[in-house]
Amino acid sequence: MKRLAVFASGSGTNFQAIVDAAKRGDLPAEIALLVCDRPEAKVIERAARENVPTFVFSPKDYPSKAAFEGEILRELKERRIDWIALAGYMRLIGPTLLSAYEGKIVNIHPSLLPAFPGKDAIGQAYRAGVRETGVTVHYVDEGMDTGPVIAQRAVPVVPGEPIEALEERIHQVEHELYPVVLRMLLTEKEQQEERIENDGSETSIDQRVQ
């Protein structure tokens, strides 16, 4: 079973959705670590309740991104982490982690990328007056929400609705979509590795989720 680390900075609702999916058996992974860059974040309390080990740090205590990512990497290697799922982690991932986990870091973003990247994506879409926004799961690269898209799901914007209603519907989709995509990635990668090991062949992975 693959070992998954979740990176989060806030309340941790997507972290909880991932943990719950693993507990139900819907996600074939062990949630082996929470990494959090805000010692006051509520997600830490969630991790404690779920008995998930945590690595909590304050970036200001380090001289550089490379320094704190180096410590994160040591934690990941010590706990034999296979994949990283960003779930409201409000920092760009740097070269230290990108090189060590190439192709195995994914993120969820509350818009239909490339539209409305960065912070407050729901607010951006709401103020823009679009008829449709949504949720994107994508691979992580060095940019701000610029990695290759894995899956998207649209969410209509109801005319005149308060932004809180839109936020709630988007979060619901996030909590449904992210575990499904993670399951797909973990199981398909595992099957691909088995095929390569058994007969030396490699076939493409269908990365679309309907």
Side-chain angles (χ1 to χ4, degrees):
M1 182 176 291
K2 297 298 185 182
R3 294 171 62 83
L4 181 68
V6 180
F7 286 33
S9 301
S11 63
T13 58
N14 274 308
F15 166 83
Q16 190 68 58
I18 292 169
V19 170
D20 290 346
K23 288 164 64 176
R24 291 192 306 269
D26 293 338
L27 176 59
E30 179 180 352
I31 314 308
L33 183 66
L34 167 72
V35 174
C36 181
D37 63 332
R38 294 183 180 176
E40 73 285 357
K42 291 183 179 180
V43 67
I44 299 168
E45 299 173 13
R46 293 182 185 271
R49 289 196 297 270
E50 299 292 347
N51 295 314
V52 174
T54 60
F55 175 68
V56 182
F57 69 100
S58 295
K60 61 182 177 60
D61 294 336
Y62 296 83
S64 65
K65 179 189 288 285
F68 67 71
E69 284 202 344
E71 191 161 347
I72 292 171
L73 183 58
R74 285 190 287 274
E75 287 283 334
L76 297 174
K77 294 299 185 183
E78 182 177 329
R79 298 183 185 278
R80 308 185 314 280
I81 299 299
D82 299 299
W83 282 78
I84 297 171
L86 308 187
Y89 184 67
M90 303 306 291
R91 294 187 179 277
L92 289 176
I93 300 297
T96 301
L97 293 178
L98 287 173
S99 59
Y101 283 88
E102 184 178 2
K104 292 190 174 182
I105 308 177
V106 295
N107 181 49
I108 190 162
H109 184 77
S111 79
L112 295 175
L113 292 172
F116 311 117
K119 294 181 180 179
D120 191 27
I122 299 175
Q124 291 183 57
Y126 187 81
R127 291 188 293 272
V130 296
R131 295 183 179 180
E132 184 178 72
T133 183
V135 173
T136 301
V137 181
H138 65 94
Y139 288 108
V140 173
D141 61 14
E142 67 279 0
M144 176 72 74
D145 301 319
T146 55
V149 170
I150 302 167
Q152 292 184 312
R153 187 170 293 173
V155 176
V157 179
V158 179
E161 74 174 332
I163 189 172
E164 292 80 9
L166 178 60
E167 288 173 342
E168 183 175 347
R169 290 190 293 110
I170 286 177
H171 292 326
Q172 182 177 353
V173 171
E174 286 182 326
H175 301 161
E176 295 170 356
L177 182 63
Y178 210 6
V180 170
V181 175
L182 289 171
R183 180 182 68 223
M184 178 193 71
L185 290 172
L186 269 59
T187 56
E188 288 192 344
K189 283 287 189 181
E190 195 169 70
Q191 292 167 2
Q192 185 184 43
E193 289 167 2
E194 289 177 358
R195 286 194 297 269
I196 295 171
E197 184 177 340
N198 291 337
D199 60 19
S201 66
E202 181 176 358
T203 57
S204 61
I205 297 176
D206 181 2
Q207 296 174 339
R208 292 170 294 178
V209 173
Q210 300 302 325

